[in-house]
Amino acid sequence: MDPFFHKCLDILKKENTHPNLPGLLISENININYSKSIEADLLIIAVPVQHIRTTISEFSLKSDSPVLITSKGIEKKSLCFPSEILNSMIPPKANLAVLSGPSHAEQ
């Protein structure tokens, strides 16, 4: 795994902040961890569309956890939207929601 990922995870756990977001505190009510088996009140998928399949295939998802997709776009290989990709990969009883809106990438 990427050393930067582990560095960020350690900082998130110890200081409730992210190294790229100085001054922004993350609530102590949010549990930050890395585990192959995920049980959560809400799963948030926020990875580039081209990496959703690879990312999700790394984890075992609990069937009744609701899933929120914030990824936008279309997968190049399959021409699938993020919701279509996840519907083919997660348990059929999972509740799936999509958060979308305008993009403002002024970076």
Side-chain angles (χ1 to χ4, degrees):
M1 178 121 352
D2 181 0
F4 181 72
F5 173 83
H6 285 294
K7 176 185 173 190
C8 289
L9 191 59
D10 287 342
I11 292 170
L12 285 166
K13 286 181 176 183
K14 292 176 187 170
E15 302 175 18
N16 290 343
T17 188
H18 189 282
N20 292 341
L21 302 170
L24 178 69
L25 290 178
I26 298 169
S27 170
E28 291 183 10
N29 294 327
I30 296 175
N31 180 15
I32 298 170
N33 66 33
Y34 180 78
S35 171
K36 295 282 185 179
S37 178
I38 298 176
E39 291 190 31
D41 296 330
L42 175 65
L43 301 173
I44 300 173
I45 308 299
V47 298
V49 174
Q50 308 311 319
H51 301 285
I52 290 176
R53 287 184 198 276
T54 306
T55 302
I56 297 301
S57 66
E58 294 280 325
F59 300 97
S60 170
L61 306 179
K62 193 173 114 180
S63 64
D64 61 348
S65 293
V67 178
L68 175 64
I69 305 169
T70 62
S71 304
K72 293 168 46 172
I74 298 172
E75 186 180 44
K76 290 178 185 176
K77 276 194 252 179
S78 67
L79 299 179
C80 288
F81 291 107
S83 58
E84 295 171 313
I85 297 167
L86 281 160
N87 274 327
S88 71
M89 299 185 73
I90 61 176
K93 292 183 181 181
N95 292 316
L96 195 61
V98 177
L99 179 65
S100 64
S103 176
H104 296 282
E106 287 92 10
Q107 300 176 4

